Each structure stands twice: as C-alpha cells, then as structure tokens.
Amino acid sequence: MAVSFRRPIVALMVLLLGACASPPPRLAAPPPPPVLDSDSACLKDLRDMHVAFEPQAPFGQPGSCSVANPVKVSQGGQMGMNRPGVMSCTMARSVERFEQQVVQPLARKILGQPIARLQHMGTYDCRARRTEAAKASTGGESGSKGGRLSEHGKGQAIDIGGFELVDGSVISVKKDWRNAGKKSEFLQQLARASCEHFTVVLTPNHNRLHNDHLHLDIGPHRLCGM
Ligand SMILES: [Zn+2]
C-alpha cells in the first residue's frame, strides 16, 4: 500500500523538479514590423512625390466599374491639373512617375520650359470601351452601351488632351499632333516614351476616336498605338 502510495508522489516531485530545472517558457516572438499593404504603400509614394490628393472610399464590384484604392488627384508633384481626377492610387503613381520622368524632362529639353498644367479629358468613367464599331452601332454615342468595360471604369486610365506651359502657351493633341514643329515633336516623343510607363497607349495614329487625346492605361492588355 505504502509503496504504491509513495510512487506517485515521487513521480510528481520528479516532474516538478524537472519543470523547475527547464528554462522558462519563451516569451512570444516580438511582432514583426508593420508591413505596409500595397494600398498604404502607394499612398505613401504619392505623398513622397508631393502629389496633392484625397484618398476616396473603395467603390464598385469586381467585374463591373470599381476602384479598390481610389484617390482624387488635384495636382501632380510638378504640375497642376485643369480639374481633379479620380483614379486608382496605382494609376496616380504611374501618372506621377510619368510626369517626373518623361513629361517635365521632355518639355525642358524640347520646349525649353516645364509644363505648368496637365489638361486631361477624363480619368475614372464608368463606361464600355470606345471602339469604331461601337460608335457605328450606337450612332455616334460611343462607349455607352455593351462592350468590354473600359479601363476608365476601373480608374486605370487617363485621357490627355494637352499641356499648358509656364509661359501660358498650350500644346494640344488635337491641333499639334500632326503639325511639324516642336510641339508635335514633344507630343510624339512623349507618346513613345509613355509606352514604358503604361501598358496601353492610344494616340491619334491609332484611330479617329483618339484624334484629340492620348489614352494611357495600366490595364492587362498591351498596345503601344504609335
Ligand atoms: Zn481613354
């Protein structure tokens, strides 16, 4: 009886001694440094580039018009805008990098002065793609019915109608694209270089629907419509 009673006590003491001898349980590993998700990293990039913008609430549903990380941009880091434009943060970052790496250096090189203001004709816009076929079938109301969703409907596109220089003169895609001279040279070189920053670039050379603007987007397709 006594033996069978003592053995569990001995065993318990051994266990307790073992527990005391073992190193104290490890403290939980310190939490990893906060990792910026892509959205907040993008917003930080915009701030770092001195873009004037307001973050917007995400809207829409995937598959239809929607923007997951929209921002309303009112001014680029190095040039103004004729009016604010809503676009995805990723697109705003692409536009700003394009501005800093292509637009301003080219303007200084070819035109001898920087661009003061971007004249855009649209950013976010919930509509179908504009094609010549769609235009014919809707009697001119292009992009209003059916068809594949435009990258504008995802906040991934911008239409650029022209630029205003610091001396007030204007470079217009509609008026200057086909002319000889420095304004045309600027637009042509700018469009060519924009293919490095955007996946789709459509110019007046692409079709008549782009007669008066450059369409730049960061969608899944690839086309340098020079
Ligand atoms: Zn467009």
Side-chain angles (χ1 to χ4, degrees), residues 42-53 71 73-81 87-105 118 158 160 197-198 216 218:
C42 179
L43 297 177
K44 182 181 183 305
D45 286 346
L46 290 190
R47 285 189 205 101
D48 289 348
M49 293 189 289
H50 309 293
V51 175
F53 70 97
V71 292
V73 179
S74 53
Q75 192 165 334
Q78 297 179 2
M79 66 184 174
M81 288 166 72
M87 60 192 101
S88 74
C89 184
T90 312
M91 179 62 183
R93 184 167 55 187
S94 294
V95 170
E96 185 55 29
R97 286 177 177 159
F98 172 64
E99 174 198 332
Q100 297 192 3
Q101 294 171 22
V102 174
V103 178
Q104 296 295 17
L118 168 74
I158 189 169
I160 295 178
H197 289 261
F198 302 93
L216 312 176
I218 55 169

Side-chain angles (χ1 to χ4, degrees), residues 122-123 127 130 150-152 157-160 202 210 213-217:
T123 51
R127 61 172 171 81
R130 289 185 176 132
S150 164
E151 290 303 318
H152 285 280
I158 189 169
D159 291 335
I160 295 178
L202 303 177
H210 296 85
H213 68 276
L214 307 175
H215 166 100
L216 312 176
D217 79 54

